[in-house]
Amino acid sequence: MSQLDGKPASSNDSARAEPPAARKPGAAALRQLLPLLWPYRGRIAIALIALLIGSATMLTVPLAFRDLIDQGFVAGAAVGWHFVALFCIALFWGVTTAARYYTVSWIGERVTADLRSAVYRRMLEQSPQYFESTRTGEVLSRLTGDTTLVQTVVGSSISMGLRSLLQFIGGLLMLAITNVKLFGITLLLLLIVVLPIVLIGRHLRKLSRESQDRVADSSALAGEILNAMPTVQAFTMERAEAERFDVSVESSFATAVKRSGVRSLMTAGIIGGVFGAIVFVLWLGAQSVSAGTMTAGELASFVLYAVFTAGGVGVLAEVWGDVLRAAGATERLMELLSAEPAIASPAQPATLPSKPQARLDLEAVSFRYPSRPTQLALDDVSLSIREGETVAVVGPSGAGKTTLFQLLLRFYDVGAGSLKFDGIDIRDLDPRELRSQIGLVSQEPVIFSANAIENIRYGRAGASNEEVYEAARAALADEFIARLPEGYRTFLGERGVRLSGGQRQRIAIARAILKNPPLLLLDEATSALDAESEVLVSAGLEAAMRGRTTLIIAHRLSTVQRADRIVVMEQGRIIETGTPAELLRSGGLYSRLASLQLVA
């Protein structure tokens, strides 16, 4: 995919990249669902058996009508038994149809759930660089809309299609048995009608894929804007954004209408052509009855078989449209499912010591972001950090400070050089094991749509309530949580909208304290706070930093005066390092920044 090959990509291109292995012609794309269907082969067999029995039962109905007409109305015949037989056939047919419908619906729902889970798990494995060029709204559209299309086909349309196919084939066979001459004419006319439909079907598949892409564009746009409502409203851009969404929706509508038009044309052609051919054949049959070469019962059964055959073709036309849409949806889902994580665990990962010390060594590290391959984000950076040391990283925006944290968390791999954790190159470690040793408090902490206790427990899922309370007290979060309407059980709202910035930060600090990692990363943890909140958050941070290696990114130099060492970065390089006092005396970049902030 484009986000993996180092080339810049648009937000749409990467999500729609089409690896050769993932692209299958037409409905053949549905074969990629076979691994998901295989675990339920027993239920599939039951559904097929019910389908075969039901179809065979249905095909006996015209024979029963033939006997009723030719024999039931003869003087002295027991007409009642013929109607009893017809009722029993219909009852048995209904039971087998119900069994098939329930079984197939269960399979469709189960496979859809499995597919959603598999795609979601694969997305959770992707590194941040994947989402540099893949919009989350696009992914969500595939997880919802596309999986619903797959569910419709697997849980309904395929079953209806197979039933109609058997109905069509069985009807043709019985037509041949009933009257070979009329059958031959019928088959020739059907071939003339169906062949042009195949060409229309190919065009319909392309339109189905395009329609789903347009819907995904609208979903991605809506998700982006709804997550930025304060900014949209602050700049009074509501009308402009509504108009932009209208354009996207109209594009989706136009494509959908075009697809529906082609599908309607295909359906009308099939049904009209097939029924026209059958009406013509029936006219010939009526001539045979008049000539005495067919009985009235044979013509009646031929009519019913012709109706079954035509009905089967009509349903197949409808189902084929669904299948083509589901084929496009399957392609899109399989593109996500086949996306390999850029950051993966080695085949035989190294193991950290039982008590990691969080000693860090960067040796001539250079790095370029995949979306900006011509620009060095880090340039030949070498740095050693001792166990328990507090190091602050300062410098202007774009200096490479956050990039350093991204590499430490192994969201990206270094382009050159090495980055070692306790003497082990982090590329030799399982990313999950590495990240389990790191706590992160960012400038804009993520607060989930849950209560306070669950948000803090996110730091360590198995923690007891008392451990959560203790972490909250250490982070100075207990005092405001206790004042919430339901205390720790208070729902904090989406993205923590019910909390202030300082309160969200203290929740994040409590989460890091609960995790209790040997390495703590603080990324601009106080830069967006007012003075009073900064004092409270800083006190919580001091508790979090106690007894562990800490790296601090800060623009406010007042927050890093207690650091053991300060590293000054500019344009991806380390240009100064030393204690705060040493750097103030050196007259370099840190001294100039300090004269602007600290003196003022």
Side-chain angles (χ1 to χ4, degrees):
M1 301 182 79
S2 59
Q3 73 273 16
L4 301 182
D5 60 15
K7 299 177 182 178
S10 71
S11 59
N12 292 335
D13 290 343
S14 73
R16 294 183 194 141
E18 301 177 2
R23 297 291 292 170
K24 304 290 182 182
L30 294 176
R31 293 175 186 165
Q32 297 173 93
L33 297 175
L34 290 178
L36 293 167
L37 290 165
W38 182 248
Y40 311 111
R41 54 192 178 276
R43 287 180 179 264
I44 294 173
I46 292 173
L48 289 175
I49 292 171
L51 174 63
L52 290 172
I53 294 174
S55 298
T57 303
M58 178 190 64
L59 291 173
T60 64
V61 172
L63 296 178
F65 269 102
R66 183 196 64 186
D67 293 342
L68 175 63
I69 294 172
D70 287 344
Q71 302 173 18
F73 297 123
V74 176
V79 178
W81 287 108
H82 289 282
F83 286 101
V84 171
L86 276 172
F87 175 75
C88 290
I89 289 172
L91 187 62
F92 186 70
W93 184 12
V95 170
T96 56
T97 300
R100 172 186 57 81
Y101 175 79
Y102 174 80
T103 305
V104 170
S105 297
W106 186 95
I107 293 170
E109 296 289 352
R110 181 68 266 167
V111 168
T112 302
D114 292 347
L115 182 57
R116 283 189 178 128
S117 295
V119 172
Y120 187 67
R121 287 178 180 272
R122 179 54 62 121
M123 290 300 98
L124 291 179
E125 294 174 357
Q126 301 301 324
S127 65
Q129 72 182 71
Y130 180 83
F131 295 99
E132 283 186 20
S133 48
T134 302
R135 293 186 296 182
T136 55
E138 175 96 8
V139 174
L140 292 176
S141 174
R142 299 189 188 194
L143 273 174
T144 52
D146 288 357
T147 53
T148 299
L149 287 175
V150 172
Q151 187 275 331
T152 299
V153 169
V154 175
S156 175
S157 296
I158 286 182
S159 173
M160 292 172 58
L162 289 175
R163 184 200 66 191
S164 300
L165 181 61
L166 290 175
Q167 180 179 324
F168 175 73
I169 295 173
L172 285 178
L173 180 62
M174 295 307 295
L175 285 174
I177 293 174
T178 304
N179 191 296
V180 175
K181 178 183 174 182
L182 294 182
F183 164 72
I185 297 172
T186 303
L187 186 60
L188 177 61
L189 292 174
L190 288 177
L191 288 175
I192 294 173
V193 170
V194 169
L195 284 178
I197 303 302
V198 175
L199 300 176
I200 299 177
R202 292 179 180 176
H203 183 51
L204 179 62
R205 172 177 166 268
K206 295 178 181 178
L207 289 175
S208 297
R209 167 84 190 211
E210 185 179 347
S211 177
Q212 289 156 226
D213 285 342
R214 297 290 80 75
V215 172
D217 289 343
S218 298
S219 298
L221 177 60
E224 179 183 4
I225 298 306
L226 291 176
N227 284 327
M229 281 307 297
T231 301
V232 172
Q233 293 176 350
F235 286 89
T236 64
M237 290 293 289
E238 296 94 331
R239 179 173 296 179
E241 291 299 345
E243 291 174 355
R244 191 156 70 105
F245 185 73
D246 286 345
V247 170
S248 179
V249 170
E250 287 302 316
S251 174
S252 174
F253 171 75
T255 307
V257 167
K258 188 176 181 181
R259 172 185 56 78
S260 299
V262 173
R263 181 172 176 177
S264 299
L265 178 64
M266 183 177 73
T267 302
I270 290 179
I271 295 176
V274 170
F275 271 94
I278 288 175
V279 168
F280 174 71
V281 171
L282 291 180
W283 177 78
L284 295 177
Q287 301 299 315
S288 298
V289 173
S290 297
T293 57
M294 281 184 74
T295 68
E298 287 175 338
L299 179 59
S301 64
F302 192 90
V303 169
L304 286 175
Y305 283 127
V307 170
F308 285 170
T309 303
V313 172
V315 173
L316 283 172
E318 288 290 326
V319 167
W320 187 244
D322 289 338
V323 167
L324 290 176
R325 291 188 70 196
T330 301
E331 287 176 344
R332 287 157 49 87
L333 288 165
M334 290 303 164
E335 286 168 14
L336 296 182
L337 202 54
S338 62
E340 292 296 332
I343 304 298
S345 175
Q348 295 182 329
T351 303
L352 289 171
S354 57
K355 292 185 178 181
Q357 300 174 338
R359 187 180 72 256
L360 302 177
D361 294 287
L362 287 79
E363 300 173 359
V365 170
S366 295
F367 174 73
R368 290 178 170 88
Y369 283 100
S371 59
R372 304 188 296 275
T374 60
Q375 180 181 348
L376 270 172
L378 290 181
D379 183 9
D380 195 31
V381 172
S382 294
L383 177 68
S384 293
I385 300 173
R386 300 183 303 274
E387 174 193 2
E389 187 178 12
T390 296
V391 175
V393 183
V394 302
S397 297
K401 305 183 298 296
T402 299
T403 299
L404 189 62
F405 278 23
Q406 300 264 31
L407 295 180
L408 284 170
L409 286 160
R410 209 185 165 205
F411 290 157
Y412 300 86
D413 275 335
V414 299
S418 66
L419 201 167
K420 297 179 179 179
F421 188 102
D422 284 352
I424 302 172
D425 193 310
I426 63 172
R427 289 170 292 190
D428 296 329
L429 294 169
D430 184 331
R432 289 176 56 85
E433 183 180 10
L434 170 68
R435 293 165 190 164
S436 70
Q437 307 302 320
I438 302 174
L440 174 66
V441 180
S442 60
Q443 181 178 2
E444 297 181 0
V446 173
I447 303 298
F448 297 98
S449 297
N451 58 35
I453 195 169
E454 293 304 324
N455 264 284
I456 297 174
R457 189 179 276 127
Y458 205 80
R460 180 157 51 89
S464 66
N465 286 351
E466 187 52 45
E467 289 174 317
V468 172
Y469 302 150
E470 184 178 344
R473 286 191 290 269
L476 301 182
D478 180 75
E479 57 90 15
F480 78 82
I481 294 177
R483 297 197 305 269
L484 295 175
E486 298 177 50
Y488 282 85
R489 301 294 177 181
T490 302
F491 178 68
L492 302 183
E494 186 177 4
R495 301 189 306 279
V497 294
R498 298 184 178 184
L499 301 179
S500 68
Q503 290 171 338
R504 287 196 294 271
Q505 285 287 16
R506 282 182 275 171
I507 290 283
I509 294 168
R511 189 185 292 164
I513 291 175
L514 182 64
K515 186 176 183 179
N516 193 29
L519 174 62
L520 182 63
L521 305 181
L522 305 178
D523 187 358
E524 304 280 9
T526 62
S527 64
L529 304 179
D530 57 69
E532 183 178 357
S533 295
E534 182 179 357
V535 170
L536 292 171
V537 170
S538 296
L541 288 175
E542 287 185 16
M545 294 162 57
R546 197 170 298 122
R548 68 190 83 234
T549 306
T550 305
L551 265 70
I552 305 171
I553 291 177
H555 278 130
R556 290 185 182 179
L557 301 187
S558 59
T559 64
V560 298
Q561 295 306 300
R562 297 182 183 179
D564 299 319
R565 191 159 39 122
I566 294 178
V567 173
V568 184
M569 298 188 68
E570 187 175 34
Q571 296 182 353
R573 300 180 68 91
I574 294 177
I575 59 173
E576 294 179 292
T577 183
T579 65
E582 291 171 345
L583 294 179
L584 280 174
R585 291 193 299 268
S586 69
L589 176 60
Y590 179 85
S591 179
R592 294 197 301 273
L593 293 174
S595 66
L596 294 174
Q597 293 187 30
L598 301 180
V599 175

